[in-house]
Amino acid sequence: MERSILLTFVHPVYHKSRANRALLDAVQTLDRLTVNDLYETYPDFMIDVQREQELLVSHDVLVFQHPFFWYSAPAHLKEWLDLVLTHGWAYGHEGKALVGKKWLSAVTVGGGAASYVSNGKDSFSVPELLRPFQATAHLCGCPWQDPFIVYGCHTITDTGLVEAAESFRARLIALRDAPVAPEQNLTNV
Ligand SMILES: Cc1cc2nc3c(=O)[nH]c(=O)nc-3n(C[C@H](O)[C@H](O)[C@H](O)COP(=O)(O)O)c2cc1C
């Protein structure tokens, strides 16, 4: 039994990206991984809900990769959540489409880790600030994974970025290849 990964990529100005580009470059050739770039596919925000739902159903691990914008994500991801995760499909009594699919948020953060503490400049930790995504995953029955976070993206060195990208690749491979419990019902089996 093999897992597949859907990586939903959300960056409004990819041609200016350094951190997310490095992370994406490191993983996009992985087997059994599909990249779905929201800003590229829907530059006008006209999301094809059926296509998105079919993509979600046909993969086992859901990765959402984006820069941290205003302690959250770029606007396209919010629009995507609002339209794609519908009642009776993703949540609610009949909404079981995503149950059991692991959810990993992978974020690049401009500020350093030292400011994301209770007495620091940003007041809260990044995992705390990602709680709306965690609650969404929980509501949809998706096991929440410890977020993958790259801090200090304004100043990170090329070497630091290479290390972060390698660690992201290792994280995705581990999620994809982790042994599947016999009772676990994967999408592709
Ligand atoms: C509109 C906007 C909002 C941002 N908000 C935050 C923020 O809340 N916290 C933070 O640490 N960095 C913030 N940043 C910095 C980005 O997170 C950072 O530039 C990005 O992660 C770097 O990734 P990239 O090289 O792929 O663009 C923001 C940047 C922009 C453009």
Side-chain angles (χ1 to χ4, degrees), residues 151-165:
Y151 291 98
C153 289
H154 291 320
T155 53
I156 193 168
T157 62
D158 288 345
T159 309
L161 210 43
V162 167
E163 284 169 9

Side-chain angles (χ1 to χ4, degrees), residues 38 42 44-54 56 64 75-91 98 136 140:
L38 295 189
Y42 309 113
D44 52 5
F45 276 47
M46 296 298 285
I47 294 171
D48 181 341
V49 172
Q50 189 180 339
R51 172 184 180 271
E52 295 301 309
Q53 291 185 340
E54 284 169 9
L56 289 165
F64 296 88
H76 215 321
L77 185 53
K78 181 62 167 62
E79 177 76 351
W80 184 95
L81 292 168
D82 292 351
L83 296 182
V84 177
L85 303 187
T86 51
H87 181 261
W89 184 81
Y91 70 100
L98 303 180
T136 302
C140 297

Side-chain angles (χ1 to χ4, degrees), residues 159-182:
T159 309
L161 210 43
V162 167
E163 284 169 9
E166 282 170 1
S167 138
F168 185 47
R169 182 181 167 88
R171 186 79 193 277
L172 294 202
I173 290 172
L175 275 171
R176 187 195 62 185
D177 297 347
V180 179

Side-chain angles (χ1 to χ4, degrees), residues 9-14 16-23 65-74 107-112 115-116 121-122 126 129 150-154 156 161:
F9 184 81
V10 198
H11 196 304
V13 273
Y14 181 63
K16 289 188 178 168
S17 164
R18 180 167 167 258
N20 282 281
R21 177 187 294 268
L23 297 186
Q65 184 194 330
H66 57 85
F68 211 39
F69 274 12
W70 284 109
Y71 305 111
S72 180
V107 296
T108 63
V109 179
S115 38
Y116 281 93
K121 182 167 73 71
D122 297 295
V126 174
L129 294 161
V150 184
Y151 291 98
C153 289
H154 291 320
I156 193 168
L161 210 43

